[in-house]
Amino acid sequence: MSDTHLNFIAGEWKPSRGGTTFGDENPARRGSDLCRFQASTAEDMDEAITAANEAFRAWRRTPLADRQHYISEFLKLLQKSSEELAAIVTQENGKTIRESRAEVGSALVEGNYHLNQVAAFYGHTGPGAFQDITTWVQYQPLGVVGVISPWNFPMNVMCRKTLPALLTGNTVVFKPATFTPWSGVFMARLFEQAGLPAGVFNCVTGLGSSIGNVIVQDPRVRAISFTGSTEVGKKIQVKAAANLTRTQLELGGKNALIVMDDASIDKAVDAAMTAGFACAGQWCTSTSRILLHHAIAQPFIEKLVARCEKMVVDDGSREATDMGPVAGPQQYEDICAAIQKARAEGARMIAGGDTPNAAQGYFIRPTVFAGVTPGMSVFQEEIFGPVLAVSAFGTLDEALELANHSIYGLSSAIFTRDLANAKAYIDAIEAGLAHVNIHTGYKEPSMPFGGVKQSGSGLPENSESGLEFFIDRKAIYLRS
Ligand code: NAD
């Protein structure tokens, strides 16, 4: 009998009022049931919002240094439980244990960045321009904030949203992804152990379509920070507009890696392998299109395919595994269908094919399609799996036109030794992240993280904007 986890509402662990639960499958073992979670109802979500709303009155007046203390305690506990948490992430998400350790490491780096940055964030004071008055812009917390996260980074994404929200004086209702609730509930336990006052952080598990809507539509919720698909992000934007609820939407991508004829082929292949197949191609910043200059296309492809063939695709908890399974049955089916469609549309599959252990888990071998043209779905649609689409070009202008031929604009990269090429790419690429000689997934906490076009909307996460999203500005004029 597997353990059953409860919701964390108003500082207490509670079962759902609906009395039903759902399971959590390890994608490396079809049919497994790691533990069970509350299939929460609208009433549970309402109770969490009420708790967060009541806790806000005291939390907003809690001195910044005290808020920092709680978050610092939380980060110490996170550091201490890194290995246990990484094992949970690997079990419920499927990514390799190395990738899960890196995810926890990234949450710690980002969390410490926000913890240190928040003090510098406050306070712009000056003399008034026209009279003997003092002016300043006072930052106010918003109130209750809804955090909705995806399954691909089950703990890092929620930390990137929740920690700045709490540091700036907001209270949080968090809904983890349905596939990966365990990491979310684990984080709630760390907040409890860190001594956070009751109601400041609440975690409610369940289906996005039922309880997600409740957070988005409740007028007491002042902002929604959402990471997930463009399709769901659009629905949230429309529903949130009814109350003018602020949204931060981090959405899908179809990220292009451009390789020029003067590039180091080995380094560019390394970048394609890292960002193409880490987390089984399920980073939002994964490379999914590779655009190759005609002159280096052949040697690049030969090296890429040789590396793909050597990859060990297996249970992510084994240290020797290079790539784990995809996250669940729906992803598996969708990715297999996208591969079939690419073949039917005439793309040439040069790596991939049958995966012997697919009967045990949702394993898909690294897959590469060559001869891809912009009209094909494999060029346009976010597959969110270990599938690369390779196209060729003759000039940088052509490469940029291909790269920008997408509804998405999250990340991108170019490999070149020519500074003029690099500058032209930086200016023209339609993406929130531009990398020169670095893979598409690289990011740092001091830099804004967010997409353009249909990859995102609202202020980006991380950097100053990651804090700014959670505050209102009040213009103060004081005559003493
Ligand atoms: P998803 O959109 O299916 O779900 C994301 C979250 O939204 C989940 O918690 C889900 O339960 C919830 N949800 C679903 N329907 C909802 C609704 N109607 N109202 C409110 N919440 C709802 O996405 P996913 O499959 O979990 O994640 C994969 C997607 O996330 C990919 O498109 C990927 O590119 C994107 N992603 C983007 C970033 C980024 O920073 N831009 C990072 C990671 C993942």
Side-chain angles (χ1 to χ4, degrees):
M1 185 68 178
S2 53
D3 290 341
T4 298
H5 294 278
L6 304 178
N7 287 330
F8 186 60
I9 300 175
E12 287 175 32
W13 294 93
K14 297 184 176 182
S16 164
R17 294 180 189 201
T20 53
T21 60
F22 66 98
D24 190 7
E25 186 184 23
N26 177 345
R29 295 194 204 132
R30 285 178 189 252
S32 54
D33 193 2
L34 292 166
C35 34
R36 300 200 68 77
F37 296 86
Q38 303 306 304
S40 305
T41 61
E43 289 74 35
D44 300 319
M45 188 51 91
D46 183 72
E47 190 184 344
I49 295 169
T50 301
N53 202 31
E54 281 168 11
F56 178 61
R57 262 181 266 146
W59 183 247
R60 67 176 302 170
R61 290 196 306 272
T62 302
L64 176 61
D66 291 356
R67 295 202 297 258
Q68 284 177 300
H69 172 75
Y70 289 118
I71 300 307
S72 163
E73 289 303 298
F74 167 82
L75 290 169
K76 280 184 213 153
L77 291 163
L78 182 58
Q79 172 89 59
K80 236 165 65 190
S81 49
S82 306
E83 201 50 32
E84 187 186 353
L85 182 55
I88 290 174
V89 171
T90 287
Q91 284 179 75
E92 68 172 353
N93 169 282
K95 64 177 73 175
T96 68
I97 189 70
R98 281 189 305 281
E99 289 165 345
S100 296
R101 288 181 187 129
E103 177 175 349
V104 180
S106 167
L108 284 165
V109 169
E110 289 176 354
N112 278 305
Y113 168 81
H114 288 304
L115 179 65
N116 297 320
Q117 190 67 17
V118 70
F121 176 66
Y122 286 100
H124 297 267
T125 315
F130 307 111
Q131 298 189 40
D132 179 20
I133 55 176
T134 305
T135 62
W136 73 92
V137 177
Q138 186 156 311
Y139 291 172
Q140 305 279 133
L142 304 175
V144 181
V145 165
V147 168
I148 305 177
S149 70
W151 46 262
N152 68 336
F153 283 98
M155 53 79 54
N156 191 8
V157 168
M158 75 77 73
C159 281
R160 195 184 303 143
K161 298 168 181 301
T162 300
L163 300 186
L166 295 178
L167 283 165
T168 45
N170 302 278
T171 54
V172 168
V173 176
F174 167 52
K175 195 209 86 59
T178 321
F179 285 139
T180 52
W182 197 1
S183 323
V185 171
F186 192 94
M187 306 307 276
R189 211 168 284 286
L190 296 187
F191 280 121
E192 182 188 30
Q193 286 167 13
L196 206 69
V200 170
F201 176 84
N202 306 274
C203 173
V204 181
T205 57
L207 275 184
S209 49
S210 39
I211 53 170
N213 284 340
V214 183
I215 322 187
V216 173
Q217 290 175 313
D218 191 311
R220 292 171 296 174
V221 176
R222 289 284 322 282
I224 295 287
S225 181
F226 167 84
T227 296
S229 59
T230 294
E231 187 191 345
V232 174
K234 284 180 183 175
K235 287 184 191 157
I236 287 178
Q237 178 104 296
V238 169
K239 288 182 183 145
N243 294 317
L244 296 181
T245 304
R246 187 178 299 182
T247 54
Q248 177 179 55
L249 306 174
E250 305 295 359
L251 309 175
K254 190 70 191 172
N255 311 302
L257 162 68
I258 301 171
V259 187
M260 299 301 294
D261 52 351
D262 62 358
S264 156
I265 296 182
D266 286 336
K267 286 183 181 159
V269 170
D270 275 348
M273 294 298 295
T274 301
F277 301 122
C279 197
Q282 300 166 117
W283 285 349
C284 53
T285 52
S286 286
T287 296
S288 60
R289 293 179 295 154
I290 302 185
L291 310 178
L292 299 177
H293 191 284
H294 284 303
I296 49 87
Q298 198 51 33
F300 181 101
I301 285 172
E302 280 166 15
K303 287 183 182 202
L304 183 72
V305 170
R307 294 270 299 269
C308 288
E309 282 165 1
K310 280 201 205 121
M311 275 188 93
V312 178
V313 181
D314 202 351
D315 187 331
S317 60
R318 300 200 176 104
E319 292 280 352
T321 296
D322 294 318
M323 190 173 89
V326 299
Q330 190 61 53
Q331 285 72 24
Y332 182 82
E333 272 172 36
D334 290 350
I335 297 164
C336 290
I339 291 172
Q340 289 314 324
K341 195 168 171 193
R343 296 177 89 163
E345 286 179 348
R348 227 163 4 96
M349 193 162 103
I350 54 173
D354 289 345
T355 309
N357 48 4
Q360 284 126 52
Y362 304 108
F363 298 106
I364 297 178
R365 286 212 57 81
T367 303
V368 181
F369 283 100
V372 173
T373 56
M376 293 178 182
S377 53
V378 69
F379 186 94
Q380 289 167 5
E381 290 169 14
E382 183 188 40
I383 296 174
F384 219 52
V387 181
L388 292 173
V390 180
S391 313
F393 65 85
T395 64
L396 178 58
D397 282 347
E398 275 173 44
L400 288 166
E401 204 175 314
L402 283 170
N404 290 337
H405 187 79
S406 172
I407 60 164
Y408 297 109
L410 183 52
S411 190
S412 64
I414 191 170
F415 274 67
T416 181
R417 292 190 173 98
D418 182 329
L419 204 55
N421 282 342
K423 179 69 169 57
Y425 150 81
I426 289 167
D427 289 344
I429 195 73
E430 295 167 0
L433 281 75
H435 302 85
V436 178
N437 298 323
I438 303 169
H439 67 75
T440 55
Y442 185 80
K443 66 177 169 47
E444 299 204 359
S446 59
M447 299 293 284
F449 184 74
V452 301
K453 293 159 83 177
Q454 295 190 29
S455 286
S457 170
L459 284 177
E461 295 171 341
N462 276 345
S463 72
E464 197 174 303
S465 63
L467 292 160
E468 201 180 329
F469 175 72
F470 296 106
I471 54 107
D472 274 333
R473 287 191 166 75
K474 192 180 277 175
I476 311 294
Y477 301 92
L478 173 84
R479 188 171 4 231
S480 49

